[in-house]
Amino acid sequence: MGLVRQADAPLRGLNTFGIDARARLLWRLESLDDLPQLCEALRDDAGKGQAQPPLILGGGSNLLIADDPQQPIVQMALRGLRIVHEVGDAVIIEAAAGEAWDPLVRWTLSQGLAGLENLALIPGTVGAAPIQNIGAYGVELRDHFESLDAVDLGSGTGRSFDARDCAFGYRDSVFKHAGAARWLVTSVRLRLSRTADLKLDYGEIRAELAEACIVAPTATDVADAVSRIRRRKLPDPAVIGNAGSFFKNPLIEAEQATALATREPGLPCWPSGDQVKVSAAWMIERCGFKGMRVGHAGVHERHALVLVNHGHAGGGEILALASRIRDAVATRFGIRLEAEPVVVGAPQL
Ligand code: EPU
């Protein structure tokens, strides 16, 4: 198809929050062959005084558009899935950045490859997965990450990043930090296995398998169980706009966690290295926000960590509710919540 350029492009269908914003300029990249042309067009645009680096859009599932973005937007639409290397049980697969994540998980399972089953049904694209080191049910992308290819949109040159280069953290990587906006991830390689090493200890996975009378689960059984749990707890963006968890679970010092757990009995805490991760959903619920609605913005009734768009919420409305939540949690618990999605068109929360 080539490189598609659209001025004054509607964004409602391109972000899972369903925010009705417009892009000054949107490029859709469907082939690697068009990268030089894209880089040149972006340089041209920058030459006309648009100093902001472009915004890369995958599935738009970890994004809150607070105002019409003025920077150019690049919609990543590169496709392709393949097995690149196989030694014994270990298999390296490569997926183009524009592939949708959940279909990739299902494709790996159909190839007899285990590893991504706990990450089933996460919205978004392959290219976005390493940016925030997606994670769920005790597994993170970094556990199976091999390397990725990216292109510097400023110079047009490409390079590979291994796990060390990516500096993965909890919902974090080098690509979320200053100066990294110039990198366009084009493909990701993952390390999987023909022998399943199932991670069943998080939350409700075992109960869900027992409920389905499965005693010797396969990787596909686990993916199915995770998908059922997610469908039950998390709203489907196709039905009600949202970006999954709106806040990260805060990491605090062990001493502070002990004091807090004494004062606030029942607060879910998980050890995480030297620190302790505490449940943001629980704190938000205790502050009375679960199910709350303010205009078109709201907090989901089944999960307090998920902010939702009940129809025509502007990004500013969602952001205002997020600020109220953050202030209430800070006042009661003395903890500052950090937003998980990228906020465009306004300062980060
Ligand atoms: N909880 C509440 N109230 C609620 C929801 C949950 O008190 O409304 C409590 C639960 O009782 C539980 C604890 O909070 O004890 C944790 O809940 P849950 O298992 O739903 O996980 P989470 O910590 O809220 C994280 C990820 C999710 C991921 C799940 C499962 C973050 C920010 N979120 O949520 O990821 O699916 O664990 O692994 O780490 C996402 O990143 O968008 C996302 C959905």
Side-chain angles (χ1 to χ4, degrees):
M1 259 285 270
L3 188 63
V4 182
R5 176 190 191 276
Q6 198 181 352
D8 190 30
L11 294 176
R12 188 173 168 91
L14 301 182
N15 70 101
T16 60
F17 248 126
I19 303 293
D20 208 356
R22 298 189 85 83
R24 182 179 60 80
L25 198 52
L26 175 86
W27 299 94
R28 181 176 159 87
L29 182 71
E30 296 183 348
S31 161
L32 269 182
D33 297 340
D34 295 320
L35 256 175
Q37 197 192 335
L38 172 66
C39 292
E40 200 183 314
L42 291 170
R43 274 195 299 269
D44 256 19
D45 195 48
K48 288 178 193 145
Q50 296 302 328
Q52 291 189 66
L55 170 72
I56 316 293
L57 201 59
S61 59
N62 197 44
L63 181 68
L64 175 62
I65 306 175
D67 206 352
D68 288 348
Q70 289 312 301
Q71 64 270 57
I73 296 189
V74 175
Q75 192 192 359
M76 164 51 69
L78 299 176
R79 305 298 301 270
L81 295 173
R82 65 185 183 115
I83 290 177
V84 282
H85 193 62
E86 186 154 0
V87 182
D89 269 1
V91 178
I92 308 288
I93 62 126
E94 182 176 72
E99 291 287 342
W101 178 262
D102 184 57
L104 163 75
V105 173
R106 292 295 168 174
W107 177 79
T108 61
L109 293 167
S110 75
Q111 301 292 311
L113 302 175
L116 304 182
E117 52 279 358
N118 294 41
L119 304 177
L121 214 66
I122 294 184
T125 55
V126 166
I131 310 296
Q132 59 148 346
N133 180 27
I134 57 169
Y137 302 97
V139 176
E140 288 182 326
L141 179 93
R142 69 171 147 193
D143 301 332
H144 294 280
F145 181 83
E146 179 71 15
S147 59
L148 63 79
D149 292 335
V151 171
D152 179 339
L153 286 171
S155 65
T157 52
R159 65 161 278 202
S160 292
F161 288 72
D162 63 17
R164 216 185 144 128
D165 300 327
C166 290
F168 291 122
Y170 167 54
R171 294 297 190 277
D172 195 32
S173 77
V174 71
F175 301 104
K176 278 184 99 170
H177 293 272
R182 68 180 201 273
W183 290 110
L184 174 72
V185 174
T186 54
S187 63
V188 178
R189 283 171 292 277
L190 300 170
R191 204 175 336 103
L192 304 176
S193 175
R194 296 231 170 256
T195 313
D197 174 19
L198 301 177
K199 306 277 184 290
L200 306 177
D201 290 333
Y202 187 98
E204 313 99 307
I205 295 186
R206 280 186 203 281
E208 189 66 33
L209 289 166
E211 181 81 11
C213 301
I214 295 169
V215 277
T218 63
T220 301
D221 291 330
V222 175
D224 291 345
V226 164
S227 300
R228 285 195 299 275
I229 298 169
R230 290 187 73 101
R231 282 203 185 92
R232 228 174 19 236
K233 290 172 72 165
L234 298 169
D236 177 356
V239 179
I240 183 162
N242 74 89
S245 301
F246 193 88
F247 295 103
K248 294 184 191 181
N249 285 322
L251 281 165
I252 61 175
E253 299 309 318
E255 228 168 76
Q256 189 188 358
T258 311
L260 204 56
T262 313
R263 215 179 70 214
E264 300 277 356
L267 172 68
C269 299
W270 308 274
S272 177
D274 290 346
Q275 293 180 298
V276 176
K277 202 186 261 186
V278 293
S279 167
W282 192 92
M283 293 190 285
I284 295 168
E285 185 173 343
R286 288 306 170 283
C287 289
F289 286 100
K290 193 168 177 174
M292 179 185 274
R293 188 170 167 163
V294 185
H296 285 265
V299 178
H300 190 52
E301 73 237 8
R302 289 198 306 274
H303 207 301
L305 203 46
V306 182
L307 299 196
V308 293
N309 177 0
H310 282 291
H312 292 278
E317 250 177 295
I318 306 267
L319 216 47
L321 179 56
S323 293
R324 260 181 78 180
I325 293 172
R326 200 197 46 195
D327 292 349
V329 167
T331 303
R332 172 158 171 183
F333 296 92
I335 292 178
R336 189 185 161 82
L337 292 179
E338 206 184 308
E340 199 197 80
V342 172
V343 179
V344 177
Q348 298 290 315
L349 255 189

